[in-house]
Amino acid sequence: MRLNKITEYVLLFLLIGLSGNPMFLYSKPIMGLSMIGITLIYAIQVLKNKKRYFIFKKNLLPYIFLVFFIFLVQTLKFNQFNIKSTIVLISNLLVSVFVIAIVKEQFYSKFVFLVTRLALISLIIHVSIILVPPILNFLVAKVVPLVPGQTTYDTSLHRYHIFIHNFWQIDIFRNSGFYWEPGVNAGFSLLALFLNLNIFKKGLNYKWNIILLINIISTISTTGLIALFVLLFLHFNTKKSTILRAFFISIMLVIGYFTFTNNEFLYFKVNQQLSNISSNARESRFASALLDFQTFKEHPISGYPSNDLILDKYQLSNDHFRTNGVFILLAQYGILYFLIYWFLLYKSSFRIFNYYILEHVKSKKLAIHFIIVMLLIGFSENYFLKPIFVSFILLYAYTPKSSLSENITLNKT
């Protein structure tokens, strides 16, 4: 593998880490060093080949102006200037653009490659701990002390991580994998599965898709399993044969019904989400959505700067901490940014799909399907302002409008 290719994988791995891994998220030195590393790699690439890697793209300017306009309006309107939020905002935007400026249209293929490998590693560790419980105690005693970024607000045994794997909720057999919680593990795996099925034309029986499916199921994530059901429904619904389509969809409906009605954990979790709708936003994504929608109605254009400020202003307890990523985006940035965010995701997805698939109409349909899956996984996790998701919406600026030439071989995933 050429050095440039290895560099691209390293960049994307760092971006995934900054978007979902506990060590990157909870250790400021690791986060800072990772961002500096991405910046230095980008700077070296620009010095080597300025024309190919130069960051400036005119079609990025409207988005950049919009972000800073909303930030300025919020600062003036609420008389709140948070230096930490400012640094995070600028840093996330820069590293997102640096990575896609280098990786460009290969972003999706390298994303799938890394997520599938992380899924395999997570399954090996997860299954090993379940089959041989003393392994967990050994890892916590010998490895955890060597790994930075451990949480300070919860020091229970199952809250620790060893960088490549997080033990959160292993006590109830949920697999968090490389990410901060099981739902995030499911979310990243679902995106990789969607791309493998629809861009890289790998069937469900493909070895890495099987690993992704098992990994998603091992998270026992309610939202993840619902999103998986919808993803497969959308996938089979595109089949040309009506009989085959009806057959697969019928099987999925039966499996979905028996899965949710016969699994006590999932059944309890769904009921808990619905029963807490008027009280505990931390436990219920529906309650979180309602609270964020109330905030949105008060500030529909500017949004409201952050969850911490909302808690302080309305003197709410930590039970009102927001967990619904879709409505967090709406409440914090307002309707204008919210609509433009999803428009740019559609634009970027369509351009990438059209680049690989060579079918204009099908690419439009798949871009809409991708947004549906993204909305579903975002209903339970605050993804959308994380660096890799900013990259997802800005890919249009670095992807050729023309389709992939037939003599170019796709990267193997």
Side-chain angles (χ1 to χ4, degrees), residues 161-219:
H161 69 87
I162 54 170
F163 171 51
I164 203 67
H165 191 84
N166 182 14
F167 302 131
W168 175 234
Q169 295 196 337
I170 185 68
D171 53 322
I172 51 176
F173 307 112
R174 299 187 68 194
N175 179 12
S176 293
F178 181 71
Y179 311 94
W180 78 74
E181 76 114 42
V184 183
N185 188 13
F188 275 77
S189 296
L190 281 158
L191 295 179
L193 179 62
F194 182 93
L195 296 172
N196 244 355
L197 288 171
N198 295 294
I199 287 186
F200 305 116
K201 301 300 180 183
K202 306 295 185 181
L204 278 175
N205 60 345
Y206 176 56
K207 61 181 179 181
W208 290 109
N209 284 347
I210 293 172
I211 288 169
L212 288 171
L213 283 167
I214 297 171
N215 190 52
I216 293 165
I217 294 169
S218 73
T219 66

Side-chain angles (χ1 to χ4, degrees), residues 121-136 139:
I121 293 169
S122 79
L123 281 173
I124 292 172
I125 297 175
H126 184 70
V127 172
S128 298
I129 289 173
I130 290 174
L131 295 178
V132 188
I135 290 177
L136 177 60
L139 292 172

Side-chain angles (χ1 to χ4, degrees), residues 190 193-194 197-198 204 213 224-242 244-254 256 365-366 369 372-373 376:
L190 281 158
L193 179 62
F194 182 93
L197 288 171
N198 295 294
L204 278 175
L213 283 167
L225 292 174
I226 292 172
L228 175 62
F229 180 85
V230 173
L231 185 157
L232 294 177
F233 176 85
L234 294 172
H235 176 66
F236 289 128
N237 200 40
T238 60
K239 298 293 182 184
K240 292 182 180 179
S241 170
T242 304
L244 185 63
R245 189 163 63 231
F247 174 73
F248 279 121
I249 291 173
S250 299
I251 289 177
M252 286 169 53
L253 289 170
V254 172
K365 183 184 290 186
L366 287 176
H369 291 177
I372 291 171
V373 173
L376 285 171

Side-chain angles (χ1 to χ4, degrees), residues 51-266:
K51 186 176 180 181
R52 174 171 170 78
Y53 295 114
F54 189 50
I55 187 173
F56 181 76
K57 295 282 185 180
K58 289 182 180 179
N59 51 1
L60 280 180
L61 288 178
Y63 174 78
I64 294 172
F65 284 146
L66 174 65
V67 170
F68 284 99
F69 172 75
I70 291 174
F71 183 76
L72 179 62
V73 169
Q74 289 182 349
T75 300
L76 296 174
K77 181 176 180 179
F78 301 105
N79 195 28
Q80 293 277 354
F81 180 77
N82 189 317
I83 187 65
K84 177 184 175 183
S85 298
T86 306
I87 293 173
V88 169
L89 176 72
I90 295 172
S91 300
N92 284 350
L93 179 59
L94 286 176
V95 297
S96 302
V97 175
F98 288 160
V99 173
I100 55 177
I102 294 175
V103 180
K104 293 184 171 62
E105 67 275 3
Q106 295 299 318
F107 186 90
Y108 277 179
S109 64
K110 289 178 171 56
F111 172 82
V112 170
F113 178 92
L114 290 170
V115 171
T116 51
R117 275 60 184 181
L118 289 171
L120 176 60
I121 293 169
S122 79
L123 281 173
I124 292 172
I125 297 175
H126 184 70
V127 172
S128 298
I129 289 173
I130 290 174
L131 295 178
V132 188
I135 290 177
L136 177 60
N137 295 317
F138 171 81
L139 292 172
V140 170
K142 301 298 183 181
V143 182
V144 166
L146 306 175
V147 181
Q150 304 295 336
T151 58
T152 56
Y153 61 88
D154 184 348
T155 55
S156 62
L157 176 67
H158 306 114
R159 196 55 167 162
Y160 292 117
H161 69 87
I162 54 170
F163 171 51
I164 203 67
H165 191 84
N166 182 14
F167 302 131
W168 175 234
Q169 295 196 337
I170 185 68
D171 53 322
I172 51 176
F173 307 112
R174 299 187 68 194
N175 179 12
S176 293
F178 181 71
Y179 311 94
W180 78 74
E181 76 114 42
V184 183
N185 188 13
F188 275 77
S189 296
L190 281 158
L191 295 179
L193 179 62
F194 182 93
L195 296 172
N196 244 355
L197 288 171
N198 295 294
I199 287 186
F200 305 116
K201 301 300 180 183
K202 306 295 185 181
L204 278 175
N205 60 345
Y206 176 56
K207 61 181 179 181
W208 290 109
N209 284 347
I210 293 172
I211 288 169
L212 288 171
L213 283 167
I214 297 171
N215 190 52
I216 293 165
I217 294 169
S218 73
T219 66
I220 322 180
S221 166
T222 311
T223 305
L225 292 174
I226 292 172
L228 175 62
F229 180 85
V230 173
L231 185 157
L232 294 177
F233 176 85
L234 294 172
H235 176 66
F236 289 128
N237 200 40
T238 60
K239 298 293 182 184
K240 292 182 180 179
S241 170
T242 304
I243 296 175
L244 185 63
R245 189 163 63 231
F247 174 73
F248 279 121
I249 291 173
S250 299
I251 289 177
M252 286 169 53
L253 289 170
V254 172
I255 292 173
Y257 173 79
F258 281 104
T259 298
F260 281 95
T261 55
N262 291 288
N263 187 302
E264 290 185 10
F265 176 80
L266 290 176

Side-chain angles (χ1 to χ4, degrees), residues 182-399:
V184 183
N185 188 13
F188 275 77
S189 296
L190 281 158
L191 295 179
L193 179 62
F194 182 93
L195 296 172
N196 244 355
L197 288 171
N198 295 294
I199 287 186
F200 305 116
K201 301 300 180 183
K202 306 295 185 181
L204 278 175
N205 60 345
Y206 176 56
K207 61 181 179 181
W208 290 109
N209 284 347
I210 293 172
I211 288 169
L212 288 171
L213 283 167
I214 297 171
N215 190 52
I216 293 165
I217 294 169
S218 73
T219 66
I220 322 180
S221 166
T222 311
T223 305
L225 292 174
I226 292 172
L228 175 62
F229 180 85
V230 173
L231 185 157
L232 294 177
F233 176 85
L234 294 172
H235 176 66
F236 289 128
N237 200 40
T238 60
K239 298 293 182 184
K240 292 182 180 179
S241 170
T242 304
I243 296 175
L244 185 63
R245 189 163 63 231
F247 174 73
F248 279 121
I249 291 173
S250 299
I251 289 177
M252 286 169 53
L253 289 170
V254 172
I255 292 173
Y257 173 79
F258 281 104
T259 298
F260 281 95
T261 55
N262 291 288
N263 187 302
E264 290 185 10
F265 176 80
L266 290 176
Y267 188 76
F268 169 77
K269 197 175 176 190
V270 171
N271 283 331
Q272 183 187 48
Q273 293 280 318
L274 295 173
S275 63
N276 287 331
I277 193 168
S278 61
S279 57
N280 193 332
R282 180 178 286 277
E283 296 297 332
S284 172
R285 270 60 176 180
F286 299 104
S288 178
L290 286 175
L291 290 169
D292 276 322
F293 189 69
Q294 291 297 323
T295 303
F296 162 72
K297 287 196 298 183
E298 293 180 22
H299 311 285
I301 304 300
S302 67
Y304 203 82
S306 74
N307 186 74
D308 292 336
L309 292 176
I310 293 171
L311 295 181
D312 291 341
K313 178 182 176 182
Y314 297 104
Q315 297 182 331
L316 299 173
S317 71
N318 202 39
D319 287 341
H320 291 80
F321 186 85
R322 305 302 203 264
T323 53
N324 188 311
V326 176
F327 283 86
I328 287 173
L329 187 68
L330 180 64
Q332 288 191 12
Y333 279 81
I335 188 64
L336 183 60
Y337 181 87
F338 183 83
L339 293 175
I340 289 176
Y341 185 98
W342 296 107
F343 169 74
L344 291 180
L345 180 62
Y346 171 82
K347 185 176 181 179
S348 294
S349 303
F350 166 72
R351 187 165 290 184
I352 283 279
F353 295 157
N354 195 55
Y355 175 78
Y356 280 115
I357 297 171
L358 318 179
E359 294 180 33
H360 193 78
V361 175
K362 187 173 183 180
S363 296
K364 283 186 173 182
K365 183 184 290 186
L366 287 176
I368 293 172
H369 291 177
F370 191 60
I371 289 175
I372 291 171
V373 173
M374 194 77 84
L375 284 166
L376 285 171
I377 67 170
F379 198 79
S380 66
E381 301 293 346
N382 186 13
Y383 290 113
F384 300 124
L385 297 177
K386 298 287 190 291
I388 200 161
F389 290 88
V390 176
S391 292
F392 274 128
I393 70 169
L394 299 181
L395 272 170
Y396 71 90
Y398 296 92
T399 304

